[in-house]
Amino acid sequence: MPNTASNGITIEYETFGRRENPALLLVMGLGAQLTLWDPDFCGMLADKGHHVIRFDNRDVGLSTWFDEHGAPDILSMMTAMATGETPEVPYTLDDMADDAAGLLDALGIERAHICGASMGGMLVQTLAIRHPARVLSMTSIMSTTGNPEVPPASPEAMAVLTGPPPKTRDEAIENGLRGRAVIGSPGFPSDEASARANTARDYDRAFHPQGTARQMAAIMAHGDRRDALRELDVPTLVIHGSDDPLVHVEGGRDTAAAIPGAEFWEIPGMGHDLPVQLFGDLVKRIAGFAEKAPRRSGS
């Protein structure tokens, strides 16, 4: 896969579809590599007439890591935030959103449709806030606004995020399978053999738990985006599963309520993943929404 300089770092990326088609930038979530945007899913979006771009966020996959900053003390951060302090972090969601804008610059793309999942939803929200002229439409999937009143993750789902990192490849694979069983979609169960193979693939490509912890710190420090979201003039589709134990469905409802004119699609039986059984419906809805979004001058 190619890489390029963006916002002072190196970003690994891959594209699908014809370069002359409208760009659709896919932004993945916490600790997740670009591989979690399934190639079949990307190809289906490309077949709908998009130039699809998936990439590794900073500190994950093959993009630049920030190990010189060490692992953050999440417990101390939580304590500081409880007293009203803003903790210091190596980077913020603003920096990560600027990485995405820089990738568009590097690829010569003036404006794009943007779609993010989980933390990626937070990032596309932040990208739209910071660079609204770059955004043709936005899709925010299984994400939230930073509103502290949104119900938290279930204890079981939180344990998936906060457990100690695995020490071996086999342990990482088993942890991944247990995590999928907790946060995955009860209405659309995954195939265990495929899940095992995908988890092994990602471990072999780039295993980097420190980066996940720093991304978590960036999320925690970012705060509530609702006031900024209320000022957006960006066509927005919000998608959320009704059975998401990690980011409560109220997070999706809160996102749609904050963004003027946003369309909300709640999917029964969907948890905190992108089930292959829903690829067709997701592609149809995302591509259809992007197609009907009004073109802006110069796009």
Side-chain angles (χ1 to χ4, degrees), residues 271-291:
H272 200 78
D273 62 354
L274 297 172
V276 65
Q277 300 96 319
L278 288 175
F279 280 5
D281 290 338
L282 287 166
V283 166
K284 181 178 179 181
R285 195 70 171 255
I286 294 167
F289 185 83
E291 179 62 29

Side-chain angles (χ1 to χ4, degrees), residues 104-207:
L104 294 178
D105 289 338
L107 297 179
I109 297 169
E110 184 177 359
R111 295 177 177 88
H113 302 282
I114 59 176
C115 174
S118 195
M119 181 189 74
M122 304 174 196
L123 290 176
V124 296
Q125 293 170 27
T126 306
L127 177 59
I129 290 165
R130 292 176 64 80
H131 306 279
R134 309 296 299 273
V135 180
L136 292 170
S137 74
M138 174 170 67
T139 300
S140 178
I141 306 174
M142 55 190 179
S143 193
T144 188
T145 60
N147 177 1
E149 296 182 2
V150 168
S154 72
E156 296 80 8
M158 184 56 67
V160 171
L161 292 185
T162 57
K167 295 182 174 61
T168 67
R169 183 178 188 270
D170 287 345
E171 188 178 336
I173 293 170
E174 295 307 317
N175 281 5
L177 291 174
R178 283 194 294 270
R180 287 172 183 264
V182 171
I183 69 173
S185 297
F188 308 95
S190 61
D191 173 69
E192 182 174 337
S194 297
R196 183 178 294 275
N198 290 341
T199 305
R201 171 205 64 199
D202 289 347
Y203 180 93
D204 293 338
R205 184 174 184 264
F207 177 63

Side-chain angles (χ1 to χ4, degrees), residues 40-56:
D40 289 341
F41 182 77
C42 296
M44 292 166 71
L45 286 168
D47 289 343
K48 290 289 187 180
H50 290 285
H51 177 57
V52 178
I53 306 145
R54 63 177 187 169
F55 70 100
D56 286 329

